[in-house]
Amino acid sequence: MNKKSDLPFKCDDCPSQGKGIFCELEDAAIQDVSEHKVVNGYKKGQTLFVQGNPPYGMYCVSKGNIKVTQVGEDGKESIVRIATEGDVIGHRSIFTDQYYNATATAIEDANVCFIDKKYILKLVQKEPSVACNIIGKLGRDLGAAEHRISSFYQKNVRERLAELLLLLKESHGVTDADGRIRLNIKLTREEMASIIGTASETLIRFMSELKQEGFIEQDGKTIFIINEEGLLDFANIAY
Amino acid sequence: MNKKSDLPFKCDDCPSQGKGIFCELEDAAIQDVSEHKVVNGYKKGQTLFVQGNPPYGMYCVSKGNIKVTQVGEDGKESIVRIATEGDVIGHRSIFTDQYYNATATAIEDANVCFIDKKYILKLVQKEPSVACNIIGKLGRDLGAAEHRISSFYQKNVRERLAELLLLLKESHGVTDADGRIRLNIKLTREEMASIIGTASETLIRFMSELKQEGFIEQDGKTIFIINEEGLLDFANIAY
DNA sequence: TTAATTTCCTGATTTAGATTATATTTTTGT
DNA sequence: ACAAAAATATAATCTAAATCAGGAAATTAA
């Protein structure tokens, strides 16, 4: 899989078209972007870039899910963000002129486009729509990050878990043939725990609780959301 | 204090000059910005904007410290960011087209410039340097936010407290006549606790501990950093 | 200045969730 | 297909930090 010959496609054909930061560019400009990128296939577990390294460019996820993690002194890994189709990663470091302060790893086989730093910086000068889209992307990411910060303080583990499942439903939920909502992402319990900041044992315990209550179902690593209302209640989210 | 007559100054004279997002603009352009802003004085405790309201523009802090907070269902307030001279706030919501998802409150008397949403959006189209500076600002804020997320998971309260004191030293530390490093910001214990996500009693306990160990000193609400090395050690931060 | 309110501090008690331990299931490599 | 390794699950114990309680100090208001 991921044969070299499969890969070199154009941005026009990208499954993430319309969702990314280039979506307002005209055909000629998109063509130009297309010529300045390299498509890479990554297998599950492979890293795109590593914390502490200097940034050479930006990554644009075409297929698959990428986890962005920070590792502490004690080796504990915490997932700060999950990038999916149409998302960009590594853009932060380009503009802040810092080394990568996180590591990006494919959590499943993925196709990711790499765009050179210099080209991006030039493009932002030339195309205000790209600049605005990057601002919008960073703004939404910052909003999500700030929400998570306050969640850590204001919610307990079970509430954060319910919240995570609801967020994953928004970002990765697909309706199956049988009408069930399936989360189209395969995270280990360890990874889920490190998103909401708890121990995997604790996460597993609350997952079991949610299964028993009939809020979710499970088939191997795949999770189905059965009762969204119940989860909302469980998460203590008011609307 | 904060008489109306004190306020209407030009961006040229702003104490935050050179630190903000307009610093690369030419004189004429700066002049133009200056004419499109309104300077407002806020007293301690007054709010600039409130979570849930629609954004009308951007705020540029000229003097004083502003806390950006999110309030949970239970009324618990958590501080997601502190904006100081030269910082902008409320910029996120302008570009993401969302309502404010945080409340901004002056924690001491402050002067803040308001710049209209429409003007900013136009300026970003016209001036790539402004767009780039906003991207840089958001990028650094996002980096800081992600660091805090992983801190919550990887560090305990005493480590997060030491980390907070070191961060405040970077952002608000000034060297006094007697050579001591003073934190030029007055936060209540409640506020400090809500930054690192702990109960105020717990924070006070560890503050006492730090005082006893001689790492910090205190004069009323003012904090002095005495032993930075010790704090680094205490925070378990490797370099 | 005094009273009232808020903030700060310390100690005792409780609890949510980490840690430890062990068994079972699933995945991976050969 | 098989063994080895990794991930999942559940229960028991332990601990960091929340909560509860009460008093001292500092602000604020009158």
Side-chain angles (χ1 to χ4, degrees):
Chain A
M1 62 185 68
N2 276 325
K3 284 169 294 177
K4 207 66 198 177
S5 56
D6 279 353
L7 291 180
F9 47 70
K10 293 192 226 138
C11 289
D12 306 59
D13 311 324
C14 185
S16 78
Q17 253 306 315
K19 289 191 275 179
I21 60 175
F22 305 119
C23 52
E24 276 135 70
L25 291 180
E26 287 164 21
D27 289 351
I30 267 279
Q31 183 62 32
D32 192 54
V33 172
S34 200
E35 279 160 20
H36 280 86
K37 61 139 181 54
V38 185
V39 196
N40 287 309
Y42 293 90
K43 292 217 172 178
K44 178 181 170 181
Q46 282 190 315
T47 58
L48 317 208
F49 55 80
V50 176
Q51 193 168 0
N53 284 3
Y56 296 114
M58 204 176 78
Y59 299 80
C60 194
V61 182
S62 165
K63 202 201 78 186
N65 291 303
I66 311 289
K67 65 174 175 183
V68 181
T69 58
Q70 288 191 348
V71 182
E73 266 81 62
D74 49 0
K76 255 191 193 172
E77 169 189 287
S78 61
I79 296 183
V80 293
R81 201 164 6 120
I82 289 177
T84 188
E85 289 170 22
D87 280 338
V88 287
I89 41 179
H91 49 315
R92 239 202 68 253
S93 302
I94 291 183
F95 294 96
T96 54
D97 220 26
Q98 301 168 324
Y99 292 138
Y100 288 123
N101 61 5
T103 298
T105 312
I107 57 177
E108 54 206 55
D109 292 356
N111 292 338
V112 182
C113 294
F114 175 83
I115 306 162
D116 183 70
K117 178 176 172 168
K118 271 185 200 153
Y119 179 72
I120 282 292
L121 289 175
K122 238 188 330 187
L123 194 66
V124 168
Q125 301 281 328
K126 218 167 46 191
E127 300 279 359
S129 85
V130 174
C132 275
N133 285 335
I134 292 179
I135 291 176
K137 187 93 193 61
L138 284 167
R140 277 184 298 273
D141 285 347
L142 181 59
E146 290 181 344
H147 179 86
R148 283 182 66 193
I149 288 173
S150 61
S151 268
F152 269 106
Y153 180 41
Q154 290 165 358
K155 294 190 195 304
N156 59 28
V157 172
R158 41 157 51 203
E159 289 168 338
R160 296 207 298 274
L161 171 58
E163 198 169 66
L164 170 65
L165 290 167
L166 291 168
L167 280 175
L168 287 175
K169 191 217 141 220
E170 290 308 312
S171 58
H172 294 82
V174 291
T175 306
D176 266 11
D178 59 2
R180 287 194 302 180
I181 296 167
R182 176 169 50 87
L183 300 187
N184 191 24
I185 182 173
K186 274 180 188 165
L187 294 163
T188 66
R189 296 304 137 102
E190 192 75 50
E191 283 167 338
M192 287 182 67
S194 96
I195 296 175
I196 61 171
T198 190
S200 56
E201 294 92 332
T202 305
L203 180 122
I204 288 168
R205 201 169 316 134
F206 284 119
M207 284 286 282
S208 304
E209 204 173 293
L210 288 176
K211 271 184 278 178
Q212 266 167 31
E213 304 246 18
F215 296 146
I216 60 171
E217 278 174 18
Q218 231 185 300
D219 185 6
K221 233 169 242 177
T222 309
I223 297 167
F224 298 88
I225 306 290
I226 305 302
N227 181 353
E228 194 178 341
E229 281 293 313
L231 281 177
L232 275 167
D233 206 47
F234 203 82
N236 195 22
I237 297 170
Y239 276 99
Chain B
M1 60 185 67
N2 277 324
K3 283 170 295 175
K4 209 65 199 181
S5 55
D6 280 354
L7 291 179
F9 48 71
K10 294 192 224 139
C11 288
D12 306 60
D13 311 323
C14 184
S16 78
Q17 253 306 315
K19 289 191 276 179
I21 60 175
F22 304 119
C23 54
E24 275 135 71
L25 292 180
E26 288 164 22
D27 290 351
I30 267 279
Q31 182 63 31
D32 193 54
V33 172
S34 200
E35 280 161 18
H36 281 84
K37 62 141 182 51
V38 185
V39 196
N40 287 309
Y42 293 90
K43 292 216 172 180
K44 178 180 170 181
Q46 282 189 316
T47 58
L48 317 209
F49 54 80
V50 176
Q51 192 168 0
N53 284 3
Y56 295 113
M58 203 178 77
Y59 299 80
C60 193
V61 182
S62 165
K63 202 201 78 186
N65 291 303
I66 311 288
K67 66 175 176 183
V68 181
T69 58
Q70 287 190 349
V71 183
E73 265 80 65
D74 49 359
K76 256 192 192 172
E77 169 189 287
S78 61
I79 296 182
V80 293
R81 200 159 12 115
I82 288 176
T84 188
E85 290 170 21
D87 280 337
V88 287
I89 41 180
H91 50 315
R92 239 203 70 252
S93 302
I94 291 183
F95 294 95
T96 56
D97 220 25
Q98 300 168 324
Y99 293 137
Y100 287 124
N101 61 6
T103 297
T105 312
I107 57 176
E108 55 206 55
D109 292 355
N111 292 338
V112 182
C113 293
F114 174 83
I115 305 162
D116 183 71
K117 180 176 172 168
K118 271 186 198 152
Y119 178 72
I120 282 292
L121 289 174
K122 239 190 325 187
L123 194 66
V124 167
Q125 301 281 329
K126 218 167 46 189
E127 299 279 358
S129 84
V130 174
C132 276
N133 285 335
I134 291 180
I135 291 175
K137 185 93 195 62
L138 284 167
R140 276 185 298 274
D141 284 348
L142 181 59
E146 290 181 346
H147 179 85
R148 284 182 65 192
I149 289 172
S150 61
S151 269
F152 267 105
Y153 181 42
Q154 291 165 358
K155 295 191 195 301
N156 58 28
V157 173
R158 41 156 51 201
E159 289 168 338
R160 297 207 298 275
L161 171 58
E163 199 169 66
L164 170 65
L165 289 167
L166 291 168
L167 279 175
L168 288 175
K169 192 215 142 223
E170 290 309 314
S171 58
H172 293 83
V174 291
T175 307
D176 265 9
D178 59 3
R180 288 194 301 179
I181 296 168
R182 176 169 51 86
L183 299 187
N184 191 24
I185 182 174
K186 275 181 187 165
L187 295 164
T188 65
R189 296 303 139 102
E190 192 74 49
E191 283 167 339
M192 287 183 67
S194 96
I195 296 175
I196 62 171
T198 190
S200 55
E201 296 93 327
T202 306
L203 180 121
I204 287 167
R205 230 182 296 275
F206 285 119
M207 284 286 282
S208 304
E209 203 174 308
L210 288 175
K211 272 184 276 178
Q212 264 166 33
E213 304 245 20
F215 295 144
I216 60 171
E217 279 174 16
Q218 230 185 301
D219 185 7
K221 235 169 239 176
T222 309
I223 297 168
F224 298 88
I225 306 290
I226 305 301
N227 181 354
E228 194 178 342
E229 281 293 313
L231 281 177
L232 275 167
D233 206 46
F234 204 81
N236 197 20
I237 298 171
Y239 276 99

